[in-house]
Amino acid sequence: MKKVRVLWLSLMACNGNTHSFLNYPHLESFLNDFEFIYHPVIDSNYSLEDIISKEIACDILLIEGAIADDFIKAGIPAVDIVKKYAEIAQTIVTVGTCATFGGIFRQSAYEDVSGLHFKEQNRTDKFNDVFEKTVSVSGCPIHPEVLVNTLYAIKKRLSLKLDSYLRPKEFFSYTVHNGCTRNEYFEYKVDKHNFGELEGCMFYDHGCRGPFTHGSCNKILWNEVNSKTRAGLPCMGCTEPDFPKQNLFSTKKNMGIPEHLPVGVSKRTYLTLAGITKAFTIDRLERKLFDD
């Protein structure tokens, strides 16, 4: 069967998405179905110089890293490479939060840094003509299974339902809160947490952004084993347009109320629920899980 031809183009990036992708547990099987015409790490048939000097046929263009007009790659403006292959490819996938929203490189010295179609939550018009054939897979880094499953959906020509940032709803209509093993602590407002430990919710004091961050980290576990919140670290909201935030390990509050509330929960509803939960003291949630 003919393999899908893929170009992985790395722009302003730390290559974290590349490394995350290499952790995909079934990479060998993936490479039986997909062929990289160029990848910055994986052996491929063409060099970067070939990609720039020629027009190589490809089905999917993967863009890793943020974009700026003054960013030069291999001696030419990187946006010129993007424009050439964005036109050739049938589908474009932005790989990671930098390629989707600009990410941490918005703070760099380059001018007007953005993702392919968004600068934080705002739509840009630089690549309007390829907007309709773009799919976004945000994350810092991307979850390898989310990327691979998205690529297989494209290969099989499945109709992907996308959110307003072009992210597949299959993976981004949930919040990271969905599937979190600490939800009972959240419900009863127990945040007696120490980093790395199993007990306590991290939303109220420790900066966890899981209740308002879209992603499947607690539904599709990393390395098929774990997630940040399961390991005892707060969700940092890395799939969202405003990532990265400052003070990642503390919850900003106004008059004792978290600045950001769970998706769909009003301040009045939050205060009502918080008042009710104060009436409960559940002894087993106050103790270590494995104490005898």
Side-chain angles (χ1 to χ4, degrees), residues 39 57 101 119 160 165 180 192 201 211-212 246 280 287:
H39 188 286
F101 302 117
K119 185 175 184 177
L160 282 171
Y165 297 123
C180 179
K192 294 179 179 178
C201 173
F212 50 90
Q246 294 182 332
F280 291 91
R287 299 196 302 265

Side-chain angles (χ1 to χ4, degrees), residues 20-31:
S20 182
F21 171 68
L22 294 177
N23 280 319
Y24 179 62
H26 311 292
L27 188 59
E28 185 176 352
S29 175
F30 173 83
L31 293 175

Side-chain angles (χ1 to χ4, degrees), residues 274-289:
I276 294 171
T277 56
K278 278 184 180 178
F280 291 91
T281 299
I282 301 176
D283 288 340
R284 65 183 175 82
L285 296 181
E286 303 290 333
R287 299 196 302 265
K288 290 288 185 184
L289 282 170

Side-chain angles (χ1 to χ4, degrees), residues 46-251:
Y46 298 93
S47 66
L48 180 59
E49 289 71 24
D50 291 332
I51 295 298
I52 291 172
S53 62
K54 303 174 183 175
E55 289 192 357
I56 312 295
C58 75
D59 301 308
I60 301 175
L61 169 62
L62 301 180
I63 298 175
E64 176 186 27
I67 295 173
D69 287 341
D70 54 341
F71 179 67
I72 304 298
K73 189 171 183 67
I76 69 169
V79 292
D80 291 349
I81 310 172
V82 173
K83 287 178 180 175
K84 181 168 76 169
Y85 283 95
E87 187 174 332
I88 293 172
Q90 296 168 17
T91 307
I92 303 166
V93 178
T94 59
V95 181
T97 294
C98 290
T100 305
F101 302 117
I104 197 169
F105 287 95
R106 294 195 309 270
Q107 301 169 14
S108 71
Y110 289 97
E111 295 182 3
D112 198 24
V113 177
S114 69
L116 186 68
H117 296 301
F118 300 97
K119 185 175 184 177
E120 296 190 69
Q121 73 275 17
N122 301 314
R123 172 90 179 266
T124 62
D125 57 7
K126 193 178 299 179
F127 297 96
N128 259 349
D129 53 339
V130 294
F131 186 84
E132 297 297 330
K133 62 177 180 179
T134 300
V135 177
S136 303
V137 179
S138 59
C140 184
I142 49 96
H143 194 309
E145 293 198 42
V146 171
L147 175 62
V148 169
N149 289 340
T150 299
L151 293 177
Y152 270 104
I154 294 170
K155 177 180 184 293
K156 294 179 180 180
R157 302 183 185 278
L158 301 179
S159 177
L160 282 171
K161 294 186 177 179
L162 308 178
D163 68 11
S164 58
Y165 297 123
L166 305 176
R167 300 178 297 191
K169 289 185 176 180
E170 179 71 21
F171 308 111
F172 292 94
S173 61
Y174 303 94
T175 66
V176 173
H177 187 64
N178 194 315
C180 179
T181 54
R182 299 170 189 273
N183 280 353
E184 202 171 24
Y185 295 101
F186 173 84
E187 292 165 2
Y188 293 104
K189 208 176 177 183
V190 179
D191 195 342
K192 294 179 179 178
H193 178 71
N194 290 311
F195 293 121
E197 295 188 352
L198 297 174
E199 301 83 5
C201 173
M202 295 172 280
F203 169 72
Y204 298 103
D205 291 319
H206 293 80
C208 184
R209 303 175 67 81
F212 50 90
T213 293
H214 295 85
S216 296
C217 293
N218 277 311
K219 289 173 61 67
I220 305 174
L221 298 179
W222 289 74
N223 297 319
E224 302 179 332
V225 175
N226 217 340
S227 71
K228 268 198 181 69
T229 60
R230 293 187 183 207
L233 278 174
C235 166
M236 298 177 183
C238 75
T239 61
E240 295 298 316
D242 60 355
F243 179 81
K245 303 286 284 187
Q246 294 182 332
N247 301 320
L248 293 174
F249 298 107
S250 64
T251 300

